[in-house]
Each structure stands twice: as structure tokens, then as C-alpha cells.
Amino acid sequence: MQKALRGLMAEVLGHVAEHGLPGEHHFYIGIDTTHPGVDMPDWLRARYPGEMTIVLQDWFADLAVLGDRFQVTLNFSNQPQTLVVPFAAVQTFIDPSVKFGLKFDEDEEGESGDFVPAAEPPRGTGDADGEPAGSDDGDDGGDDGGGSSADIVRLDRFRKT
């Protein structure tokens, strides 16, 4: 199930790479910055030593899906920086415009755990104004605290008949 959901996430990002974000859609993507294969500038890793939430909304460039990972250029303090993120490093994938999200948990063996629908962007990974890292406002982080809520999502509508 986890592999299929990560595949869905890859398919969605691939579509956005080709066609852009439709309508009001935007994504909050929580990543484990310590996961093997995450490629990011050292100063950014020092700022976010465990986890970071990036935003794909108004300004991002060079989004590409590369097999088991994606690459994107985001703006951090008016400095474009390219990140390479293995899909296995993604902890959350949220589209607040449709109140849909995926949460991937790791168990003791490093295998993905539960699917948890999420409705709100994760808290505690953005700047003082509540903008997650990589947002288009040029700020690069801080802790705004808070929590998140969840809605139940029915997957029946995604089934092929």
C-alpha cells in the first residue's frame, strides 16, 4: 500500500512538472533531511537538521521526477537552491486546497508504516509568519508551533472499475 501511495505522489508530481499546478492546488511536502540520498546545501541542512517542509505553490522551478526521487529548485532567502529528495524521504504530502494528505511513518526496520489522511499543513517547520520552508516569500524558517487535524478520505473514487 505504501509503495502504491508513493507511486501516486510521484505521478502527481510528474503531472505538475509537465503541466504546472492546476487551479488552487499547492503542496506541502515534509521531508526527512537525514535520509540517505537527500541532496541539499549544507547550510540548509544545518538549519533543518531533522525534518523540513517545502512548499510547491507560487514559485518553484525545474521540478522533475527522476525514478525514485524528485528534484526541485526553491527560493530560500532570495537564493534559488536545488533539492533532490528520494520519495522514501517524504514524510508527508499534503494538498490543503482539497484537504487531502498522506503521512508516511517509518517503523523499526525502516519500512513505511501507516497511511493517515491529513487536512492541514504540518506545523513547527515554517517561519514566524507560518510559511513553511521554501515558500515564495523569501524567508527561510523558524518555529510557529501548533498542530494539525485530519479528515477521512474515501479512496473508492480512485478505484478503476
Side-chain angles (χ1 to χ4, degrees):
M1 176 82 138
Q2 295 295 305
K3 186 176 181 181
L5 291 172
R6 287 186 192 274
L8 173 64
M9 176 179 54
E11 189 174 322
V12 167
L13 289 175
H15 180 80
V16 170
E18 282 187 44
H19 306 287
L21 285 165
E24 297 296 314
H25 291 276
H26 57 288
F27 306 124
Y28 292 91
I29 304 172
I31 63 172
D32 174 359
T33 60
T34 66
H35 192 279
V38 172
D39 186 13
M40 61 193 301
D42 290 339
W43 67 269
L44 196 54
R45 190 179 311 272
R47 179 124 180 128
Y48 300 98
E51 62 183 79
M52 173 173 71
T53 298
I54 60 174
V55 178
L56 301 185
Q57 186 170 12
D58 296 324
W59 193 97
F60 62 93
D62 305 323
L63 176 62
V65 174
L66 312 164
D68 67 340
R69 62 196 63 234
F70 71 95
Q71 173 180 304
V72 65
T73 300
L74 297 168
N75 185 20
F76 296 92
S77 299
N78 293 319
Q79 298 178 44
Q81 300 291 325
T82 299
L83 306 177
V84 177
V85 180
F87 289 116
V90 174
Q91 298 172 321
T92 56
F93 181 80
I94 299 170
D95 184 346
S97 72
V98 293
K99 296 185 178 183
F100 177 79
L102 300 171
K103 180 178 179 187
F104 302 99
D105 292 324
E106 298 284 327
D107 68 18
E108 300 82 41
E109 287 96 42
E111 295 296 320
S112 292
D114 298 327
F115 160 73
V116 179
E120 298 293 327
R123 301 289 183 193
T125 54
D127 66 21
D129 295 324
E131 289 295 322
S135 64
D136 64 326
D137 67 358
D139 288 337
D140 66 350
D143 187 359
D144 68 345
S148 65
S149 63
D151 287 341
I152 295 177
V153 177
R154 294 193 181 271
L155 297 176
D156 293 340
R157 65 184 165 145
F158 297 105
R159 289 189 185 156
K160 293 183 180 180
T161 55

